Amino acid sequence: MLKGIFISLEGVDGSGKTSLKEELLGHLAVFDPLSLREPGGTPISEKIRNLLLDTSNEDMQARTEAFLYASARCQLVETVIRPALQQGKMVIADRYIDSTLAYQGFGRGLPLDFLEQLNQLSTGGLRPDLTLLLDLDPTEGARRRAQDAPDRLEKAGLLFQNRVRQGYLQIARQEPQRICVIDAHQPLEMVVKNALQEIQQLLTKRGWYHPRA
Ligand code: TYD
């Protein structure tokens, strides 16, 4: 087992992952966590991110999309995440393997077993110790993001986002020991409190001591 601790954040667009991550980075500063976002986090992965989110790439095929996310992730895992975990660091990732199942699987309709295999190949089987899933009605997510210009995935619409949400909940039911569902309709401070409770449990289990807990 790798020495570090790997936490991923998941949820539909506008579910507040980024705000939660900022809060967690503050609360967990004593551990000097490494903060990442997907797709991205390495020069190659950031270039792939631009391709993926570019609204002019309207004809991108679902499998092309899946392979590009997998390529960006492969580069990030091999050059950043695995080395950090080997050194015993805490890694907090905004999105990881469950995004592929939820978006390309439940959202785009690609077969889940193909995507499971793709995730396995692109990560060498590296799974988070804990995944915090922020569950939110996509209508509320869209309301919260109203001022931002939508990227290619966000333009896929509410029906798509609803399938993604339901997909996430199904994935969480299948892996309750890893994935913790947090109600993201709550005020951010409650979301943060719930998240910190889960993280504290993991830290205790792994024998990490939090001076402020
Ligand atoms: P981003 O602007 O980072 O959105 P967010 O702040 O909501 O994470 O864009 C990432 C988009 O890529 C987002 O719409 C989800 C999508 N995505 C996938 O479809 N599959 C994946 O495997 C990953 C990592 C992201």
Side-chain angles (χ1 to χ4, degrees), residues 11 17 20 22 24 32 57 100 110 115 125 163 176 190 196 200 202:
K17 289 178 288 88
L20 173 63
E22 292 308 314
L24 292 181
D32 191 22
N57 286 335
T100 295
L110 289 178
L115 295 171
R163 288 199 300 276
M190 288 305 297
L196 285 172
Q200 185 56 53
L202 171 65

Side-chain angles (χ1 to χ4, degrees), residues 171-182:
I171 300 164
R173 281 194 293 274
Q174 281 162 5
E175 262 191 278
Q177 68 294 356
R178 172 172 68 88
I179 305 176
C180 162
V181 183
I182 296 178

Side-chain angles (χ1 to χ4, degrees), residues 13 17 38 49 69 73 95 99-100 103-104 151 153:
D13 297 295
K17 289 178 288 88
E38 268 216 49
R49 176 188 176 87
Y69 280 112
R73 178 167 308 133
R95 299 194 180 281
S99 283
T100 295
Y103 282 79
Q104 281 66 55
D151 63 40
L153 276 285

Side-chain angles (χ1 to χ4, degrees), residues 87-121:
Q87 287 166 25
K89 282 195 73 83
M90 176 184 280
V91 176
I92 303 182
D94 188 340
R95 299 194 180 281
Y96 191 57
I97 47 175
D98 302 302
S99 283
T100 295
L101 298 178
Y103 282 79
Q104 281 66 55
F106 291 89
R108 298 280 191 228
L110 289 178
L112 293 177
D113 55 350
F114 160 71
L115 295 171
E116 292 273 14
Q117 251 182 305
L118 192 59
N119 277 343
Q120 174 71 26
L121 287 169

